[in-house]
Amino acid sequence: MNKIHSNQHTANHSKVDLNLLRVLVAIYRERQLGRAAAELALTPSAISHALRRLRDTFDDQLFVRNGRYQQPTALCEKLVPELNEVLARMQGLVSRGRNFSPTTTQRTFRIGMPEALEAELFPRIYKRLQQAAPQAKLESIAVPHTQISDYLLNRKADVVIDVAMAMSSPIQQQPFLQEPFAVLSRANEQQQLTRERYLASSHLAVSTRARGSVLEDMLLRELGVERHILARVQSYQTAAQLVTATGALLTLPARIAQRLVTQYSLRSWPMPIAVPATRLQVYWHAAYENDPALTWLLKNLQTVIEISTE
């Protein structure tokens, strides 16, 4: 009897199709059948039917309702990470066989980047890519640091541009931009910005994250330096206005500082403390690196801004 059950179990596994596996991954990611249906452009009844087939195939509940959400079982927790990788690599293989023509493609490219950097980076990227692929669509999206791998694996973003971070395979990365920090003050400020004055001043921090240190504070702490943060905001444009209103200092990449000086009538100073230059990287998932569209995108991103190396 056990042998018969084992053979039937094997047979069930042999019949599973890719669409069912995509449903499993979608439910796991969204934790709600309705949201999974919307992600896959299916009806809720189709998702429910697929889940019944999945439960029969794996001889496991896979998800248990917990209020409004579907809680994955232990087996589901083991299955999904590997299924994610398998599905991504299969999609990468399919993409490899497709012809890609930049001049005619209508593909939507999603580029993840921090909101604080969007005003500086996205117009340059948009101009370059629209020249090469006039019918392509471009979207800038915010990607939390902790979800970069998930966004890239599930193609919610084709690439992510963010500060340099320790990332392991299958996430790949290459340099995008490296430049020193600058400091903005009120335009009428005449006193030289020294290390002592910098440390005695109040400062503005820019981050789209709700908590955690901003990059310059992490670098300063490595030197044993702490700043007094007067306010934390989500964009450099808001911070620039607060510089004029409060007299606080704003530390930021020099390229962005150059634009804000003219836009908001501020004064730019060299960073008076020797901290490493800010480094931005482009991240992508190895499963798709043979996709000709992704290869084209990465090549063009390299030409957007001249990369300086030391």
Side-chain angles (χ1 to χ4, degrees), residues 144-166:
H145 287 173
T146 56
Q147 297 181 41
I148 287 178
S149 179
D150 176 68
Y151 269 69
L152 293 174
L153 174 62
N154 294 296
R155 305 217 88 169
K156 292 186 283 187
D158 292 287
V159 297
V160 173
I161 300 173
D162 212 320
V163 295
M165 293 173 279

PDB file of all heavy atoms in Angstrom, residues 144-166:
ATOM      1  N   PRO A 144      13.439  48.781  -1.588  1.00  0.00           N
ATOM      2  CA  PRO A 144      14.081  48.704  -0.267  1.00  0.00           C
ATOM      3  C   PRO A 144      15.353  47.859  -0.334  1.00  0.00           C
ATOM      4  O   PRO A 144      15.408  46.861  -1.065  1.00  0.00           O
ATOM      5  CB  PRO A 144      13.017  48.028   0.607  1.00  0.00           C
ATOM      6  CG  PRO A 144      11.723  48.259  -0.112  1.00  0.00           C
ATOM      7  CD  PRO A 144      12.060  48.266  -1.572  1.00  0.00           C
ATOM      8  N   HIS A 145      16.366  48.261   0.424  1.00  0.00           N
ATOM      9  CA  HIS A 145      17.630  47.528   0.409  1.00  0.00           C
ATOM     10  C   HIS A 145      17.431  46.040   0.697  1.00  0.00           C
ATOM     11  O   HIS A 145      18.076  45.199   0.068  1.00  0.00           O
ATOM     12  CB  HIS A 145      18.586  48.114   1.453  1.00  0.00           C
ATOM     13  CG  HIS A 145      19.143  49.445   1.060  1.00  0.00           C
ATOM     14  ND1 HIS A 145      19.914  50.212   1.907  1.00  0.00           N
ATOM     15  CD2 HIS A 145      19.051  50.162  -0.092  1.00  0.00           C
ATOM     16  CE1 HIS A 145      20.253  51.335   1.296  1.00  0.00           C
ATOM     17  NE2 HIS A 145      19.749  51.320   0.092  1.00  0.00           N
ATOM     18  N   THR A 146      16.559  45.738   1.630  1.00  0.00           N
ATOM     19  CA  THR A 146      16.378  44.345   2.035  1.00  0.00           C
ATOM     20  C   THR A 146      15.631  43.517   0.987  1.00  0.00           C
ATOM     21  O   THR A 146      15.585  42.293   1.097  1.00  0.00           O
ATOM     22  CB  THR A 146      15.593  44.272   3.358  1.00  0.00           C
ATOM     23  OG1 THR A 146      14.338  44.957   3.206  1.00  0.00           O
ATOM     24  CG2 THR A 146      16.389  44.912   4.493  1.00  0.00           C
ATOM     25  N   GLN A 147      15.065  44.166  -0.033  1.00  0.00           N
ATOM     26  CA  GLN A 147      14.285  43.447  -1.033  1.00  0.00           C
ATOM     27  C   GLN A 147      14.899  43.511  -2.436  1.00  0.00           C
ATOM     28  O   GLN A 147      14.245  43.150  -3.413  1.00  0.00           O
ATOM     29  CB  GLN A 147      12.855  43.999  -1.068  1.00  0.00           C
ATOM     30  CG  GLN A 147      12.098  43.795   0.235  1.00  0.00           C
ATOM     31  CD  GLN A 147      10.680  44.319   0.161  1.00  0.00           C
ATOM     32  OE1 GLN A 147       9.997  44.153  -0.846  1.00  0.00           O
ATOM     33  NE2 GLN A 147      10.227  44.974   1.219  1.00  0.00           N
ATOM     34  N   ILE A 148      16.133  43.983  -2.541  1.00  0.00           N
ATOM     35  CA  ILE A 148      16.773  44.083  -3.856  1.00  0.00           C
ATOM     36  C   ILE A 148      16.797  42.728  -4.551  1.00  0.00           C
ATOM     37  O   ILE A 148      16.444  42.607  -5.732  1.00  0.00           O
ATOM     38  CB  ILE A 148      18.195  44.658  -3.724  1.00  0.00           C
ATOM     39  CG1 ILE A 148      18.123  46.160  -3.401  1.00  0.00           C
ATOM     40  CG2 ILE A 148      18.998  44.430  -5.008  1.00  0.00           C
ATOM     41  CD1 ILE A 148      19.477  46.822  -3.210  1.00  0.00           C
ATOM     42  N   SER A 149      17.201  41.687  -3.839  1.00  0.00           N
ATOM     43  CA  SER A 149      17.282  40.361  -4.445  1.00  0.00           C
ATOM     44  C   SER A 149      15.910  39.899  -4.931  1.00  0.00           C
ATOM     45  O   SER A 149      15.776  39.361  -6.038  1.00  0.00           O
ATOM     46  CB  SER A 149      17.852  39.364  -3.429  1.00  0.00           C
ATOM     47  OG  SER A 149      17.917  38.066  -3.990  1.00  0.00           O
ATOM     48  N   ASP A 150      14.876  40.105  -4.126  1.00  0.00           N
ATOM     49  CA  ASP A 150      13.524  39.688  -4.496  1.00  0.00           C
ATOM     50  C   ASP A 150      13.029  40.442  -5.725  1.00  0.00           C
ATOM     51  O   ASP A 150      12.465  39.848  -6.641  1.00  0.00           O
ATOM     52  CB  ASP A 150      12.569  39.925  -3.321  1.00  0.00           C
ATOM     53  CG  ASP A 150      11.123  39.603  -3.685  1.00  0.00           C
ATOM     54  OD1 ASP A 150      10.823  38.419  -3.897  1.00  0.00           O
ATOM     55  OD2 ASP A 150      10.310  40.544  -3.785  1.00  0.00           O
ATOM     56  N   TYR A 151      13.248  41.756  -5.765  1.00  0.00           N
ATOM     57  CA  TYR A 151      12.794  42.560  -6.909  1.00  0.00           C
ATOM     58  C   TYR A 151      13.483  42.102  -8.194  1.00  0.00           C
ATOM     59  O   TYR A 151      12.852  42.005  -9.249  1.00  0.00           O
ATOM     60  CB  TYR A 151      13.089  44.035  -6.666  1.00  0.00           C
ATOM     61  CG  TYR A 151      11.972  44.790  -5.991  1.00  0.00           C
ATOM     62  CD1 TYR A 151      11.641  44.531  -4.666  1.00  0.00           C
ATOM     63  CD2 TYR A 151      11.240  45.767  -6.660  1.00  0.00           C
ATOM     64  CE1 TYR A 151      10.611  45.217  -4.028  1.00  0.00           C
ATOM     65  CE2 TYR A 151      10.212  46.459  -6.040  1.00  0.00           C
ATOM     66  CZ  TYR A 151       9.898  46.180  -4.724  1.00  0.00           C
ATOM     67  OH  TYR A 151       8.882  46.865  -4.112  1.00  0.00           O
ATOM     68  N   LEU A 152      14.787  41.826  -8.126  1.00  0.00           N
ATOM     69  CA  LEU A 152      15.523  41.421  -9.321  1.00  0.00           C
ATOM     70  C   LEU A 152      15.160  40.000  -9.741  1.00  0.00           C
ATOM     71  O   LEU A 152      15.005  39.713 -10.930  1.00  0.00           O
ATOM     72  CB  LEU A 152      17.026  41.529  -9.066  1.00  0.00           C
ATOM     73  CG  LEU A 152      17.556  42.957  -8.859  1.00  0.00           C
ATOM     74  CD1 LEU A 152      19.025  42.918  -8.465  1.00  0.00           C
ATOM     75  CD2 LEU A 152      17.366  43.798 -10.114  1.00  0.00           C
ATOM     76  N   LEU A 153      15.018  39.107  -8.781  1.00  0.00           N
ATOM     77  CA  LEU A 153      14.678  37.720  -9.085  1.00  0.00           C
ATOM     78  C   LEU A 153      13.321  37.620  -9.761  1.00  0.00           C
ATOM     79  O   LEU A 153      13.145  36.890 -10.740  1.00  0.00           O
ATOM     80  CB  LEU A 153      14.686  36.890  -7.798  1.00  0.00           C
ATOM     81  CG  LEU A 153      14.221  35.437  -7.914  1.00  0.00           C
ATOM     82  CD1 LEU A 153      15.136  34.647  -8.851  1.00  0.00           C
ATOM     83  CD2 LEU A 153      14.151  34.782  -6.544  1.00  0.00           C
ATOM     84  N   ASN A 154      12.353  38.382  -9.267  1.00  0.00           N
ATOM     85  CA  ASN A 154      10.987  38.296  -9.779  1.00  0.00           C
ATOM     86  C   ASN A 154      10.689  39.340 -10.847  1.00  0.00           C
ATOM     87  O   ASN A 154       9.532  39.539 -11.210  1.00  0.00           O
ATOM     88  CB  ASN A 154       9.999  38.434  -8.607  1.00  0.00           C
ATOM     89  CG  ASN A 154      10.089  37.258  -7.661  1.00  0.00           C
ATOM     90  OD1 ASN A 154       9.800  36.129  -8.028  1.00  0.00           O
ATOM     91  ND2 ASN A 154      10.536  37.512  -6.435  1.00  0.00           N
ATOM     92  N   ARG A 155      11.739  39.999 -11.341  1.00  0.00           N
ATOM     93  CA  ARG A 155      11.645  40.949 -12.440  1.00  0.00           C
ATOM     94  C   ARG A 155      10.685  42.096 -12.142  1.00  0.00           C
ATOM     95  O   ARG A 155      10.076  42.660 -13.047  1.00  0.00           O
ATOM     96  CB  ARG A 155      11.258  40.265 -13.749  1.00  0.00           C
ATOM     97  CG  ARG A 155      12.176  39.125 -14.118  1.00  0.00           C
ATOM     98  CD  ARG A 155      12.441  39.018 -15.592  1.00  0.00           C
ATOM     99  NE  ARG A 155      13.570  39.835 -16.007  1.00  0.00           N
ATOM    100  CZ  ARG A 155      14.137  39.762 -17.199  1.00  0.00           C
ATOM    101  NH1 ARG A 155      13.677  38.934 -18.098  1.00  0.00           N
ATOM    102  NH2 ARG A 155      15.150  40.535 -17.511  1.00  0.00           N
ATOM    103  N   LYS A 156      10.550  42.424 -10.867  1.00  0.00           N
ATOM    104  CA  LYS A 156       9.841  43.650 -10.518  1.00  0.00           C
ATOM    105  C   LYS A 156      10.732  44.842 -10.821  1.00  0.00           C
ATOM    106  O   LYS A 156      10.264  45.972 -10.896  1.00  0.00           O
ATOM    107  CB  LYS A 156       9.414  43.619  -9.045  1.00  0.00           C
ATOM    108  CG  LYS A 156       8.335  42.580  -8.745  1.00  0.00           C
ATOM    109  CD  LYS A 156       7.831  42.666  -7.327  1.00  0.00           C
ATOM    110  CE  LYS A 156       8.802  42.058  -6.340  1.00  0.00           C
ATOM    111  NZ  LYS A 156       8.242  41.998  -4.962  1.00  0.00           N
ATOM    112  N   ALA A 157      12.012  44.587 -10.977  1.00  0.00           N
ATOM    113  CA  ALA A 157      12.982  45.583 -11.454  1.00  0.00           C
ATOM    114  C   ALA A 157      13.986  44.856 -12.333  1.00  0.00           C
ATOM    115  O   ALA A 157      14.398  43.731 -12.024  1.00  0.00           O
ATOM    116  CB  ALA A 157      13.698  46.266 -10.288  1.00  0.00           C
ATOM    117  N   ASP A 158      14.365  45.474 -13.462  1.00  0.00           N
ATOM    118  CA  ASP A 158      15.387  44.873 -14.329  1.00  0.00           C
ATOM    119  C   ASP A 158      16.769  45.074 -13.736  1.00  0.00           C
ATOM    120  O   ASP A 158      17.615  44.177 -13.773  1.00  0.00           O
ATOM    121  CB  ASP A 158      15.311  45.498 -15.729  1.00  0.00           C
ATOM    122  CG  ASP A 158      14.033  45.125 -16.448  1.00  0.00           C
ATOM    123  OD1 ASP A 158      13.917  43.975 -16.882  1.00  0.00           O
ATOM    124  OD2 ASP A 158      13.133  45.994 -16.554  1.00  0.00           O
ATOM    125  N   VAL A 159      17.004  46.267 -13.216  1.00  0.00           N
ATOM    126  CA  VAL A 159      18.254  46.588 -12.531  1.00  0.00           C
ATOM    127  C   VAL A 159      17.916  47.484 -11.345  1.00  0.00           C
ATOM    128  O   VAL A 159      16.854  48.100 -11.297  1.00  0.00           O
ATOM    129  CB  VAL A 159      19.271  47.311 -13.449  1.00  0.00           C
ATOM    130  CG1 VAL A 159      19.685  46.433 -14.618  1.00  0.00           C
ATOM    131  CG2 VAL A 159      18.706  48.641 -13.934  1.00  0.00           C
ATOM    132  N   VAL A 160      18.838  47.563 -10.408  1.00  0.00           N
ATOM    133  CA  VAL A 160      18.721  48.483  -9.285  1.00  0.00           C
ATOM    134  C   VAL A 160      20.008  49.280  -9.190  1.00  0.00           C
ATOM    135  O   VAL A 160      21.107  48.711  -9.264  1.00  0.00           O
ATOM    136  CB  VAL A 160      18.465  47.737  -7.955  1.00  0.00           C
ATOM    137  CG1 VAL A 160      18.529  48.708  -6.776  1.00  0.00           C
ATOM    138  CG2 VAL A 160      17.111  47.040  -7.985  1.00  0.00           C
ATOM    139  N   ILE A 161      19.887  50.595  -9.057  1.00  0.00           N
ATOM    140  CA  ILE A 161      21.041  51.469  -8.844  1.00  0.00           C
ATOM    141  C   ILE A 161      20.974  51.946  -7.405  1.00  0.00           C
ATOM    142  O   ILE A 161      19.995  52.562  -6.987  1.00  0.00           O
ATOM    143  CB  ILE A 161      21.028  52.667  -9.802  1.00  0.00           C
ATOM    144  CG1 ILE A 161      21.062  52.187 -11.256  1.00  0.00           C
ATOM    145  CG2 ILE A 161      22.206  53.595  -9.521  1.00  0.00           C
ATOM    146  CD1 ILE A 161      20.889  53.300 -12.276  1.00  0.00           C
ATOM    147  N   ASP A 162      22.015  51.638  -6.630  1.00  0.00           N
ATOM    148  CA  ASP A 162      22.012  52.016  -5.219  1.00  0.00           C
ATOM    149  C   ASP A 162      23.454  52.068  -4.718  1.00  0.00           C
ATOM    150  O   ASP A 162      24.384  51.763  -5.472  1.00  0.00           O
ATOM    151  CB  ASP A 162      21.191  51.016  -4.397  1.00  0.00           C
ATOM    152  CG  ASP A 162      20.497  51.666  -3.212  1.00  0.00           C
ATOM    153  OD1 ASP A 162      21.134  52.533  -2.557  1.00  0.00           O
ATOM    154  OD2 ASP A 162      19.336  51.334  -2.931  1.00  0.00           O
ATOM    155  N   VAL A 163      23.606  52.445  -3.457  1.00  0.00           N
ATOM    156  CA  VAL A 163      24.940  52.543  -2.883  1.00  0.00           C
ATOM    157  C   VAL A 163      25.592  51.170  -2.863  1.00  0.00           C
ATOM    158  O   VAL A 163      24.910  50.134  -2.904  1.00  0.00           O
ATOM    159  CB  VAL A 163      24.890  53.135  -1.459  1.00  0.00           C
ATOM    160  CG1 VAL A 163      24.390  54.565  -1.491  1.00  0.00           C
ATOM    161  CG2 VAL A 163      24.021  52.281  -0.543  1.00  0.00           C
ATOM    162  N   ALA A 164      26.912  51.160  -2.804  1.00  0.00           N
ATOM    163  CA  ALA A 164      27.645  49.901  -2.785  1.00  0.00           C
ATOM    164  C   ALA A 164      27.313  49.120  -1.522  1.00  0.00           C
ATOM    165  O   ALA A 164      27.376  49.642  -0.413  1.00  0.00           O
ATOM    166  CB  ALA A 164      29.148  50.183  -2.860  1.00  0.00           C
ATOM    167  N   MET A 165      26.933  47.866  -1.713  1.00  0.00           N
ATOM    168  CA  MET A 165      26.584  46.983  -0.605  1.00  0.00           C
ATOM    169  C   MET A 165      27.194  45.615  -0.854  1.00  0.00           C
ATOM    170  O   MET A 165      27.506  45.253  -1.986  1.00  0.00           O
ATOM    171  CB  MET A 165      25.051  46.844  -0.492  1.00  0.00           C
ATOM    172  CG  MET A 165      24.322  48.091  -0.077  1.00  0.00           C
ATOM    173  SD  MET A 165      22.521  47.880  -0.164  1.00  0.00           S
ATOM    174  CE  MET A 165      22.241  48.126  -1.928  1.00  0.00           C
ATOM    175  N   ALA A 166      27.359  44.864   0.223  1.00  0.00           N
ATOM    176  CA  ALA A 166      27.864  43.496   0.092  1.00  0.00           C
ATOM    177  C   ALA A 166      26.724  42.613  -0.409  1.00  0.00           C
ATOM    178  O   ALA A 166      25.751  42.395   0.296  1.00  0.00           O
ATOM    179  CB  ALA A 166      28.377  42.992   1.431  1.00  0.00           C
TER     180      ALA A 166
END
